[in-house]
Amino acid sequence: MSLHGESEVLLTPAEVASLFRVDPKTVTRWAKAGKLSSIRTLGGHRRYKESEVRALLGAASEDATPDK
Amino acid sequence: MSLHGESEVLLTPAEVASLFRVDPKTVTRWAKAGKLSSIRTLGGHRRYKESEVRALLGAASEDATPDK
DNA sequence: TAGTAATTGGGTAATTAGGGAT
DNA sequence: TGTGTCCTAATTACCCAATTAC
């Protein structure tokens, strides 16, 4: 493992909000509620792991079977 | 700030309902019935794929077969 | 250093989910 | 069978001003 570690891609609140089609502030609430892990910048702004976000997005609960 | 890769454009229940001229509750029923796939926010609200909605809207079939 | 966009808080409206009766 | 409506609780969206990112 390098010093840089695994290149963990981080997303901004606006990017996560765009993916879920919600308000950025809603993403903040998810982080506060512990539903989504967040990393803090030194200034206090939140960043989110892309892998985690993608995983949650992929968990599209569908009643129907896509059949594909 | 383009995120890489494919990102689905999602629609809110109200938007889908407006497009179909139905009550949002009806859209929810379609999702529960498996007629429409849905993605859930972490709070449980549904989001719908625009591409799928557009496809359904464009699938204007008629009672009288337009011989095509 | 300055300038613009984004994020952070709180507060308060607006939507949505879910069940049930029609 | 399908849709619109009523109800309550939960979730989300928009408002502001101050701080942070780049």
Side-chain angles (χ1 to χ4, degrees), chain B residues 2-32:
Chain B
S2 66
L3 344 169
H4 60 71
E6 77 291 344
S7 52
E8 272 285 355
V9 178
L10 302 178
L11 298 177
T12 64
E15 290 170 338
V16 177
S18 178
L19 288 172
F20 278 99
R21 295 295 302 274
V22 295
D23 194 272
K25 188 96 174 189
T26 296
V27 179
T28 297
R29 290 197 186 100
W30 293 345
K32 292 180 70 175

Side-chain angles (χ1 to χ4, degrees), chain B residues 23 39 52 56 64 68:
Chain B
D23 194 272
I39 294 177
E52 185 177 1
L56 291 171
K68 192 148 192 304

Side-chain angles (χ1 to χ4, degrees), chain A:
Chain A
M1 336 191 186
S2 70
L3 190 66
H4 304 105
E6 266 312 309
S7 46
E8 187 67 62
V9 179
L10 298 179
L11 300 178
T12 64
E15 289 170 337
V16 177
S18 177
L19 289 172
F20 277 96
R21 189 54 165 82
V22 294
D23 194 90
K25 184 158 290 188
T26 296
V27 180
T28 297
R29 293 197 202 91
W30 293 345
K32 284 186 178 179
K35 297 178 179 176
L36 184 63
S37 62
S38 63
I39 296 174
R40 292 280 198 150
T41 67
L42 299 186
H45 287 196
R46 296 183 181 85
R47 297 285 113 99
Y48 305 92
K49 298 178 184 177
E50 183 191 31
S51 58
E52 185 178 2
V53 172
R54 294 288 183 186
L56 290 172
L57 270 174
S61 51
E62 302 179 5
D63 296 322
T65 307
D67 246 15
K68 291 202 51 184

